[in-house]
Amino acid sequence: MRRSSLLSRTATFWVIVAAYLMLMISASTPSPLYVVYQAKWHFPTSTLTVIFGVYAIALLTSLLTVGGLSDFVGRRPVLLAGLGLLGIAMIVFAGARDVAWLYVARVLQGLAAGALIGTLSAGILDLAPVGKVRLATLLNALIPSIGLGAGALIAGVFAEWAPNPTLTVYLFVAAALAVLLALLVFAPESEAARDGALASLMPRMRIAPRIRGRFLRAAPALFAPWAQMGLTLSLLVSVAALRFGVINRFESGLLVVAVCLAGTVSGFALRDVAPGRATNLGAAALIAGTAVTLLGVHDSSLATFVTGSAIGGLGLGASMSGSLRTMAAMPKPDERGEFFAGVYVVGYLAFSVPAVIAGFAATHFGLVDTTYVYGVGVAVLALSVLLQAAPSVSFGRRPVPVEVRCGD
Protein backbone atom coordinates (compact mmCIF):
# COMPACT_ATOMS: atom_id res chain seq x y z
CA MET A 1 0.00 0.00 0.00
CA ARG A 2 1.23 3.47 -0.85
CA ARG A 3 2.03 5.30 2.36
CA SER A 4 1.21 8.63 0.73
CA SER A 5 -2.45 7.70 0.20
CA LEU A 6 -3.44 6.52 3.68
CA LEU A 7 -5.00 9.88 4.55
CA SER A 8 -7.92 11.18 2.52
CA ARG A 9 -7.75 14.64 0.96
CA THR A 10 -10.31 15.94 3.43
CA ALA A 11 -8.37 14.58 6.40
CA THR A 12 -5.18 16.07 4.97
CA PHE A 13 -6.94 19.42 4.63
CA TRP A 14 -7.62 19.48 8.38
CA VAL A 15 -4.10 18.30 9.20
CA ILE A 16 -2.70 21.21 7.20
CA VAL A 17 -5.09 23.60 8.96
CA ALA A 18 -3.79 22.26 12.28
CA ALA A 19 -0.20 22.61 11.08
CA TYR A 20 -0.80 26.25 10.12
CA LEU A 21 -2.32 26.86 13.55
CA MET A 22 0.68 25.26 15.29
CA LEU A 23 3.07 27.36 13.19
CA MET A 24 1.40 30.50 14.49
CA ILE A 25 1.24 29.18 18.06
CA SER A 26 4.97 28.47 17.95
CA ALA A 27 5.66 31.98 16.59
CA SER A 28 4.25 33.73 19.67
CA THR A 29 5.19 31.15 22.29
CA PRO A 30 8.63 32.67 23.10
CA SER A 31 7.30 36.23 23.59
CA PRO A 32 5.94 35.94 27.18
CA LEU A 33 9.04 33.98 28.22
CA TYR A 34 11.64 36.56 27.26
CA VAL A 35 11.29 38.28 30.65
CA VAL A 36 12.06 34.93 32.28
CA TYR A 37 15.24 34.61 30.22
CA GLN A 38 16.11 38.25 30.93
CA ALA A 39 15.78 37.76 34.69
CA LYS A 40 17.87 34.59 34.50
CA TRP A 41 20.68 35.79 32.22
CA HIS A 42 20.61 39.57 32.91
CA PHE A 43 20.81 40.83 29.32
CA PRO A 44 19.64 44.33 28.25
CA THR A 45 16.24 45.01 26.68
CA SER A 46 17.91 45.87 23.38
CA THR A 47 18.93 42.19 23.13
CA LEU A 48 15.24 41.30 22.82
CA THR A 49 15.03 43.50 19.74
CA VAL A 50 17.99 41.71 18.19
CA ILE A 51 16.41 38.31 18.93
CA PHE A 52 13.22 39.49 17.22
CA GLY A 53 15.25 40.91 14.33
CA VAL A 54 17.16 37.72 13.53
CA TYR A 55 13.86 35.83 13.41
CA ALA A 56 12.43 38.34 10.94
CA ILE A 57 15.55 38.29 8.75
CA ALA A 58 15.62 34.49 8.67
CA LEU A 59 11.90 34.30 7.87
CA LEU A 60 12.06 36.82 5.05
CA THR A 61 15.18 35.18 3.60
CA SER A 62 13.39 31.84 3.59
CA LEU A 63 10.24 33.34 2.06
CA LEU A 64 12.21 34.93 -0.75
CA THR A 65 14.08 31.72 -1.60
CA VAL A 66 12.16 28.54 -0.71
CA GLY A 67 8.80 30.18 -0.03
CA GLY A 68 7.48 29.17 -3.46
CA LEU A 69 9.40 25.91 -3.83
CA SER A 70 6.29 23.79 -3.22
CA ASP A 71 4.88 24.90 -6.61
CA PHE A 72 7.73 22.90 -8.20
CA VAL A 73 8.55 19.96 -5.90
CA GLY A 74 5.09 19.47 -4.38
CA ARG A 75 3.58 20.63 -1.09
CA ARG A 76 4.37 17.58 1.04
CA PRO A 77 8.21 17.59 0.85
CA VAL A 78 8.31 21.26 1.87
CA LEU A 79 5.82 20.69 4.69
CA LEU A 80 7.77 17.71 6.04
CA ALA A 81 11.09 19.56 5.94
CA GLY A 82 9.62 22.77 7.38
CA LEU A 83 7.78 21.11 10.26
CA GLY A 84 10.85 19.02 11.06
CA LEU A 85 13.02 22.15 11.22
CA LEU A 86 10.42 23.92 13.35
CA GLY A 87 10.44 21.00 15.77
CA ILE A 88 14.24 21.22 16.00
CA ALA A 89 13.90 24.94 16.80
CA MET A 90 11.55 24.11 19.69
CA ILE A 91 14.10 21.59 21.05
CA VAL A 92 16.85 24.23 20.87
CA PHE A 93 14.61 26.62 22.80
CA ALA A 94 13.96 23.91 25.38
CA GLY A 95 17.68 23.29 25.86
CA ALA A 96 18.74 26.96 25.83
CA ARG A 97 21.64 27.70 28.18
CA ASP A 98 22.35 31.33 27.22
CA VAL A 99 21.35 34.06 24.75
CA ALA A 100 23.31 32.45 21.90
CA TRP A 101 20.90 29.49 22.04
CA LEU A 102 17.96 31.89 21.64
CA TYR A 103 19.55 33.38 18.53
CA VAL A 104 20.04 29.93 17.01
CA ALA A 105 16.49 28.84 17.89
CA ARG A 106 14.95 31.99 16.42
CA VAL A 107 16.96 31.68 13.20
CA LEU A 108 15.85 28.05 12.78
CA GLN A 109 12.26 29.04 13.60
CA GLY A 110 12.34 31.86 11.06
CA LEU A 111 13.74 29.64 8.30
CA ALA A 112 11.05 27.03 8.99
CA ALA A 113 8.25 29.61 9.09
CA GLY A 114 9.33 31.17 5.81
CA ALA A 115 9.26 27.80 4.07
CA LEU A 116 5.96 26.77 5.62
CA ILE A 117 3.64 29.74 5.61
CA GLY A 118 3.08 30.11 1.88
CA THR A 119 3.00 26.34 1.41
CA LEU A 120 0.40 25.87 4.14
CA SER A 121 -1.81 28.64 2.75
CA ALA A 122 -1.58 27.14 -0.74
CA GLY A 123 -2.23 23.63 0.58
CA ILE A 124 -5.38 24.72 2.39
CA LEU A 125 -6.78 26.06 -0.89
CA ASP A 126 -5.56 23.05 -2.88
CA LEU A 127 -7.26 20.53 -0.60
CA ALA A 128 -10.44 22.44 0.25
CA PRO A 129 -13.35 19.99 0.20
CA VAL A 130 -15.88 20.40 -2.58
CA GLY A 131 -17.96 23.50 -1.96
CA LYS A 132 -15.67 24.68 0.88
CA VAL A 133 -13.37 27.10 -0.94
CA ARG A 134 -14.86 30.01 1.02
CA LEU A 135 -14.13 28.14 4.25
CA ALA A 136 -10.53 27.56 3.15
CA THR A 137 -10.09 31.25 2.34
CA LEU A 138 -11.63 32.25 5.67
CA LEU A 139 -9.33 29.88 7.57
CA ASN A 140 -6.29 31.36 5.82
CA ALA A 141 -7.43 34.78 7.03
CA LEU A 142 -8.31 33.80 10.62
CA ILE A 143 -5.59 31.32 11.59
CA PRO A 144 -2.81 33.93 12.10
CA SER A 145 -4.77 35.83 14.76
CA ILE A 146 -6.11 32.66 16.39
CA GLY A 147 -2.69 31.01 16.52
CA LEU A 148 -0.73 34.05 17.70
CA GLY A 149 -3.24 34.67 20.48
CA ALA A 150 -3.31 31.01 21.50
CA GLY A 151 0.49 30.84 21.57
CA ALA A 152 0.74 33.87 23.86
CA LEU A 153 -1.92 32.43 26.16
CA ILE A 154 -0.36 28.97 26.32
CA ALA A 155 3.06 30.43 27.07
CA GLY A 156 1.53 32.72 29.70
CA VAL A 157 -0.07 29.76 31.45
CA PHE A 158 3.19 27.82 31.44
CA ALA A 159 5.22 30.87 32.53
CA GLU A 160 2.93 31.58 35.48
CA TRP A 161 2.13 28.11 36.80
CA ALA A 162 4.14 25.32 35.14
CA PRO A 163 7.42 24.04 36.58
CA ASN A 164 10.40 25.01 34.43
CA PRO A 165 8.27 26.80 31.80
CA THR A 166 11.19 27.45 29.44
CA LEU A 167 11.48 23.69 29.01
CA THR A 168 7.95 22.31 29.26
CA VAL A 169 6.13 24.69 26.91
CA TYR A 170 8.55 23.99 24.05
CA LEU A 171 8.35 20.24 24.59
CA PHE A 172 4.56 20.57 24.42
CA VAL A 173 4.75 22.41 21.08
CA ALA A 174 7.40 20.02 19.75
CA ALA A 175 5.21 17.02 20.59
CA ALA A 176 2.26 18.53 18.73
CA LEU A 177 4.49 19.19 15.70
CA ALA A 178 5.76 15.60 15.81
CA VAL A 179 2.19 14.28 15.61
CA LEU A 180 1.41 16.49 12.61
CA LEU A 181 4.67 15.48 10.94
CA ALA A 182 3.80 11.80 11.36
CA LEU A 183 0.35 12.34 9.84
CA LEU A 184 1.72 14.23 6.83
CA VAL A 185 4.00 11.30 6.00
CA PHE A 186 0.83 9.47 4.95
CA ALA A 187 -0.86 12.45 3.23
CA PRO A 188 -1.55 12.70 -0.50
CA GLU A 189 0.26 15.28 -2.62
CA SER A 190 -1.87 18.18 -3.86
CA GLU A 191 0.56 19.74 -6.35
CA ALA A 192 2.45 17.76 -9.00
CA ALA A 193 6.19 18.30 -9.34
CA ARG A 194 7.38 20.27 -12.37
CA ASP A 195 10.54 21.81 -13.75
CA GLY A 196 11.94 25.06 -12.42
CA ALA A 197 12.69 24.23 -8.78
CA LEU A 198 16.32 25.37 -8.93
CA ALA A 199 15.48 28.65 -10.67
CA SER A 200 12.75 29.31 -8.10
CA LEU A 201 15.40 29.55 -5.35
CA MET A 202 16.68 32.89 -6.67
CA PRO A 203 15.79 35.47 -4.00
CA ARG A 204 12.89 37.53 -5.35
CA MET A 205 9.15 38.03 -5.00
CA ARG A 206 7.43 36.09 -7.75
CA ILE A 207 4.00 37.49 -8.53
CA ALA A 208 2.66 36.55 -11.97
CA PRO A 209 2.70 39.64 -14.26
CA ARG A 210 -0.99 39.34 -15.10
CA ILE A 211 -1.99 39.84 -11.42
CA ARG A 212 0.85 42.07 -10.25
CA GLY A 213 -1.15 45.26 -10.58
CA ARG A 214 -4.03 43.91 -8.50
CA PHE A 215 -1.56 42.60 -5.91
CA LEU A 216 0.09 46.01 -5.53
CA ARG A 217 -3.29 47.69 -5.13
CA ALA A 218 -4.27 45.25 -2.37
CA ALA A 219 -0.91 45.30 -0.53
CA PRO A 220 -1.49 48.43 1.64
CA ALA A 221 -4.63 46.87 3.08
CA LEU A 222 -2.51 43.87 4.14
CA PHE A 223 0.32 46.02 5.50
CA ALA A 224 -1.81 47.90 8.04
CA PRO A 225 -3.20 44.94 10.07
CA TRP A 226 0.16 43.16 10.14
CA ALA A 227 1.76 46.35 11.46
CA GLN A 228 -0.94 46.41 14.14
CA MET A 229 -0.10 42.80 15.04
CA GLY A 230 3.55 43.80 15.35
CA LEU A 231 2.52 46.56 17.76
CA THR A 232 0.49 44.08 19.79
CA LEU A 233 3.23 41.48 20.15
CA SER A 234 6.19 43.85 20.51
CA LEU A 235 4.89 46.63 22.79
CA LEU A 236 1.46 45.85 24.25
CA VAL A 237 2.63 43.64 27.13
CA SER A 238 5.58 45.91 27.97
CA VAL A 239 3.38 49.01 28.04
CA ALA A 240 0.84 47.24 30.25
CA ALA A 241 3.60 46.33 32.71
CA LEU A 242 5.14 49.81 32.74
CA ARG A 243 1.98 51.91 32.74
CA PHE A 244 -0.50 49.71 34.61
CA GLY A 245 1.63 47.29 36.64
CA VAL A 246 0.36 44.17 34.82
CA ILE A 247 3.17 41.70 35.54
CA ASN A 248 1.28 38.42 35.88
CA ARG A 249 2.27 36.43 32.77
CA PHE A 250 -1.17 34.89 32.33
CA GLU A 251 -2.82 38.31 32.52
CA SER A 252 -0.27 39.64 30.05
CA GLY A 253 -1.15 36.81 27.70
CA LEU A 254 -4.83 37.70 28.04
CA LEU A 255 -4.11 41.18 26.69
CA VAL A 256 -2.73 39.64 23.50
CA VAL A 257 -5.62 37.17 23.40
CA ALA A 258 -8.13 40.04 23.64
CA VAL A 259 -6.71 41.58 20.47
CA CYS A 260 -6.47 38.27 18.61
CA LEU A 261 -9.91 37.07 19.74
CA ALA A 262 -11.48 40.33 18.60
CA GLY A 263 -9.73 39.90 15.26
CA THR A 264 -11.07 36.36 14.91
CA VAL A 265 -14.61 37.45 15.76
CA SER A 266 -14.64 40.31 13.25
CA GLY A 267 -13.07 38.22 10.51
CA PHE A 268 -15.71 35.54 10.98
CA ALA A 269 -18.61 37.97 11.37
CA LEU A 270 -17.73 39.73 8.12
CA ARG A 271 -17.16 36.55 6.13
CA ASP A 272 -20.18 37.28 3.89
CA VAL A 273 -19.37 40.97 3.47
CA ALA A 274 -17.62 41.99 0.25
CA PRO A 275 -13.83 41.85 0.81
CA GLY A 276 -13.31 45.51 -0.08
CA ARG A 277 -15.99 46.68 2.31
CA ALA A 278 -14.62 44.45 5.10
CA THR A 279 -11.17 45.94 4.51
CA ASN A 280 -12.53 49.48 4.77
CA LEU A 281 -14.46 48.73 7.95
CA GLY A 282 -11.31 47.18 9.37
CA ALA A 283 -9.21 50.22 8.47
CA ALA A 284 -11.70 52.51 10.23
CA ALA A 285 -11.65 50.29 13.32
CA LEU A 286 -7.84 50.26 13.32
CA ILE A 287 -7.83 54.05 13.41
CA ALA A 288 -10.44 54.20 16.17
CA GLY A 289 -8.83 51.42 18.20
CA THR A 290 -5.38 52.98 18.01
CA ALA A 291 -6.75 56.35 19.14
CA VAL A 292 -8.54 54.83 22.13
CA THR A 293 -5.50 52.71 23.06
CA LEU A 294 -3.18 55.70 23.05
CA LEU A 295 -5.73 57.68 25.07
CA GLY A 296 -5.65 54.90 27.65
CA VAL A 297 -1.84 55.10 27.79
CA HIS A 298 -1.98 58.89 28.15
CA ASP A 299 -4.64 58.80 30.89
CA SER A 300 -3.17 55.73 32.63
CA SER A 301 -6.55 54.03 32.27
CA LEU A 302 -6.26 50.26 31.93
CA ALA A 303 -9.95 49.91 30.97
CA THR A 304 -9.55 52.42 28.14
CA PHE A 305 -6.31 50.76 27.06
CA VAL A 306 -7.88 47.29 26.88
CA THR A 307 -11.00 48.62 25.14
CA GLY A 308 -8.91 50.36 22.51
CA SER A 309 -6.79 47.25 22.00
CA ALA A 310 -9.94 45.17 21.45
CA ILE A 311 -11.34 47.70 18.96
CA GLY A 312 -8.00 47.61 17.15
CA GLY A 313 -8.28 43.82 17.16
CA LEU A 314 -11.66 44.07 15.45
CA GLY A 315 -10.04 46.20 12.80
CA LEU A 316 -7.10 43.84 12.48
CA GLY A 317 -9.33 40.86 11.82
CA ALA A 318 -11.61 42.65 9.36
CA SER A 319 -8.69 44.16 7.41
CA MET A 320 -6.72 40.93 7.29
CA SER A 321 -9.74 38.87 6.31
CA GLY A 322 -10.81 41.29 3.61
CA SER A 323 -7.35 41.69 2.09
CA LEU A 324 -6.56 37.97 2.12
CA ARG A 325 -9.94 37.09 0.60
CA THR A 326 -9.24 39.60 -2.14
CA MET A 327 -5.80 38.16 -2.79
CA ALA A 328 -6.73 34.47 -2.55
CA ALA A 329 -8.76 34.71 -5.78
CA MET A 330 -5.83 36.06 -7.81
CA PRO A 331 -3.40 33.15 -8.48
CA LYS A 332 -3.85 30.00 -10.51
CA PRO A 333 -3.47 26.73 -8.52
CA ASP A 334 0.11 26.16 -9.70
CA GLU A 335 1.04 29.75 -8.71
CA ARG A 336 -0.27 29.62 -5.16
CA GLY A 337 2.94 28.70 -3.33
CA GLU A 338 4.95 31.54 -4.87
CA PHE A 339 2.03 33.95 -4.62
CA PHE A 340 1.39 33.39 -0.92
CA ALA A 341 5.11 33.62 -0.24
CA GLY A 342 4.91 37.11 -1.75
CA VAL A 343 1.83 37.93 0.32
CA TYR A 344 3.62 37.01 3.52
CA VAL A 345 6.77 38.89 2.55
CA VAL A 346 4.58 42.01 2.65
CA GLY A 347 2.91 40.86 5.88
CA TYR A 348 6.10 40.04 7.74
CA LEU A 349 7.86 43.20 6.59
CA ALA A 350 4.96 45.11 8.13
CA PHE A 351 5.05 42.89 11.20
CA SER A 352 8.77 42.96 11.86
CA VAL A 353 10.49 46.09 10.54
CA PRO A 354 8.44 48.64 12.54
CA ALA A 355 8.69 46.45 15.66
CA VAL A 356 12.48 46.20 15.40
CA ILE A 357 12.78 49.96 14.88
CA ALA A 358 10.46 50.52 17.84
CA GLY A 359 12.62 48.30 20.03
CA PHE A 360 15.69 50.42 19.39
CA ALA A 361 13.69 53.65 19.64
CA ALA A 362 12.30 52.64 23.03
CA THR A 363 15.86 52.40 24.37
CA HIS A 364 16.60 56.01 23.39
CA PHE A 365 13.24 57.78 23.60
CA GLY A 366 11.28 55.70 26.10
CA LEU A 367 8.66 53.03 25.70
CA VAL A 368 5.61 55.28 26.03
CA ASP A 369 6.74 57.86 23.45
CA THR A 370 7.71 55.07 21.07
CA THR A 371 4.25 53.55 21.49
CA TYR A 372 2.65 56.88 20.59
CA VAL A 373 4.68 57.14 17.38
CA TYR A 374 4.08 53.48 16.44
CA GLY A 375 0.34 53.83 17.04
CA VAL A 376 0.12 56.96 14.93
CA GLY A 377 2.01 55.14 12.19
CA VAL A 378 -0.54 52.29 12.19
CA ALA A 379 -3.39 54.81 12.05
CA VAL A 380 -1.78 56.61 9.09
CA LEU A 381 -1.40 53.30 7.24
CA ALA A 382 -5.06 52.49 7.85
CA LEU A 383 -6.08 55.99 6.72
CA SER A 384 -4.15 55.49 3.48
CA VAL A 385 -6.24 52.37 2.82
CA LEU A 386 -9.44 54.39 3.19
CA LEU A 387 -8.13 57.21 1.01
CA GLN A 388 -7.10 54.74 -1.70
CA ALA A 389 -10.56 53.18 -1.66
CA ALA A 390 -12.47 56.48 -1.47
CA PRO A 391 -12.97 56.99 -5.24
CA SER A 392 -14.53 53.55 -5.73
CA VAL A 393 -15.72 52.14 -2.42
CA SER A 394 -17.85 53.41 0.42
CA PHE A 395 -19.19 51.77 3.54
CA GLY A 396 -22.82 51.87 2.50
CA ARG A 397 -23.12 51.41 -1.25
CA ARG A 398 -21.93 48.97 -3.86
CA PRO A 399 -18.42 49.79 -5.10
CA VAL A 400 -17.98 51.26 -8.55
CA PRO A 401 -15.04 49.50 -10.22
CA VAL A 402 -12.05 51.65 -11.01
CA GLU A 403 -9.35 50.27 -13.27
CA VAL A 404 -5.81 51.02 -12.19
CA ARG A 405 -3.02 49.92 -14.50
CA CYS A 406 0.38 49.00 -13.20
CA GLY A 407 3.29 48.19 -15.44
CA ASP A 408 4.39 44.58 -15.37
Side-chain angles (χ1 to χ4, degrees):
M1 179 179 293
R2 292 176 56 195
R3 291 165 61 86
S4 61
S5 63
L6 292 182
L7 280 184
S8 68
R9 289 178 64 88
T10 299
T12 303
F13 169 80
W14 289 111
V15 170
I16 292 179
V17 167
Y20 194 4
L21 185 63
M22 284 306 305
L23 171 64
M24 289 300 169
I25 287 173
S26 70
S28 60
T29 296
S31 298
L33 298 174
Y34 286 143
V35 291
V36 179
Y37 294 124
Q38 194 171 19
K40 184 189 300 185
W41 297 328
H42 308 290
F43 53 78
T45 302
S46 58
T47 299
L48 298 180
T49 301
V50 178
I51 293 171
F52 187 90
V54 297
Y55 170 75
I57 291 170
L59 188 150
L60 290 170
T61 300
S62 182
L63 269 174
L64 290 169
T65 52
V66 300
L69 184 62
S70 69
D71 284 342
F72 300 93
V73 302
R75 310 288 185 223
R76 194 177 66 166
V78 177
L79 291 176
L80 292 173
L83 287 174
L85 185 60
L86 188 59
I88 292 171
M90 295 299 104
I91 297 301
V92 175
F93 270 123
R97 297 292 181 266
D98 54 37
V99 174
W101 286 63
L102 299 184
Y103 288 141
V104 172
R106 283 301 259 177
V107 168
L108 293 175
Q109 188 180 26
L111 292 174
L116 285 170
I117 191 166
T119 306
L120 289 165
S121 294
I124 288 173
L125 288 176
D126 291 344
L127 295 165
V130 176
K132 300 294 184 181
V133 174
R134 286 180 67 243
L135 172 64
T137 303
L138 182 64
L139 287 170
N140 266 333
L142 296 183
I143 285 174
S145 59
I146 296 173
L148 291 171
L153 184 62
I154 291 169
V157 170
F158 275 83
E160 194 63 31
W161 293 301
N164 199 359
T166 56
L167 171 67
T168 52
V169 68
Y170 295 118
L171 294 182
F172 169 78
V173 174
L177 291 170
V179 171
L180 293 169
L181 191 63
L183 290 172
L184 285 172
V185 169
F186 302 104
E189 179 56 74
S190 63
E191 181 64 27
R194 58 189 173 94
D195 294 337
L198 188 60
S200 76
L201 299 179
M202 290 294 295
R204 62 182 181 181
M205 279 182 59
R206 293 172 288 272
I207 305 298
R210 62 182 180 79
I211 59 174
R212 201 171 294 158
R214 285 186 289 159
F215 174 82
L216 292 174
R217 288 171 55 192
L222 184 69
F223 203 96
W226 277 93
Q228 169 69 12
M229 183 63 78
L231 173 62
T232 297
L233 292 182
S234 64
L235 296 181
L236 188 71
V237 171
S238 297
V239 171
L242 176 66
R243 205 67 166 174
F244 311 112
V246 179
I247 58 174
N248 180 284
R249 295 303 148 203
F250 177 69
E251 293 174 357
S252 298
L254 286 179
L255 291 174
V256 177
V257 170
V259 175
C260 295
L261 179 62
T264 302
V265 168
S266 65
F268 182 78
L270 297 176
R271 66 191 183 280
D272 293 325
V273 175
R277 190 169 298 174
T279 299
N280 290 335
L281 289 170
L286 281 174
I287 295 170
T290 300
V292 175
T293 300
L294 297 183
L295 179 63
V297 174
H298 181 268
D299 293 345
S300 297
S301 170
L302 180 59
T304 304
F305 179 78
V306 173
T307 299
S309 299
I311 295 171
L314 292 173
L316 185 156
S319 295
M320 192 173 291
S321 173
S323 59
L324 283 176
R325 283 192 287 138
T326 297
M327 289 180 162
M330 295 180 186
K332 296 177 180 177
D334 62 357
E335 298 168 343
R336 285 172 179 161
E338 291 186 326
F339 178 82
F340 278 108
V343 167
Y344 287 110
V345 165
V346 174
Y348 274 94
L349 282 172
F351 177 81
S352 60
V353 173
V356 171
I357 294 172
F360 283 105
T363 302
H364 298 286
F365 303 106
L367 181 60
V368 172
D369 287 343
T370 300
T371 302
Y372 288 146
V373 174
Y374 197 142
V376 170
V378 170
V380 169
L381 283 170
L383 180 61
S384 72
V385 173
L386 292 178
L387 292 176
Q388 177 185 328
S392 61
V393 181
S394 70
F395 297 115
R397 67 177 186 271
R398 184 178 297 277
V400 178
V402 175
E403 183 177 4
V404 178
R405 296 187 179 277
C406 179
D408 294 327

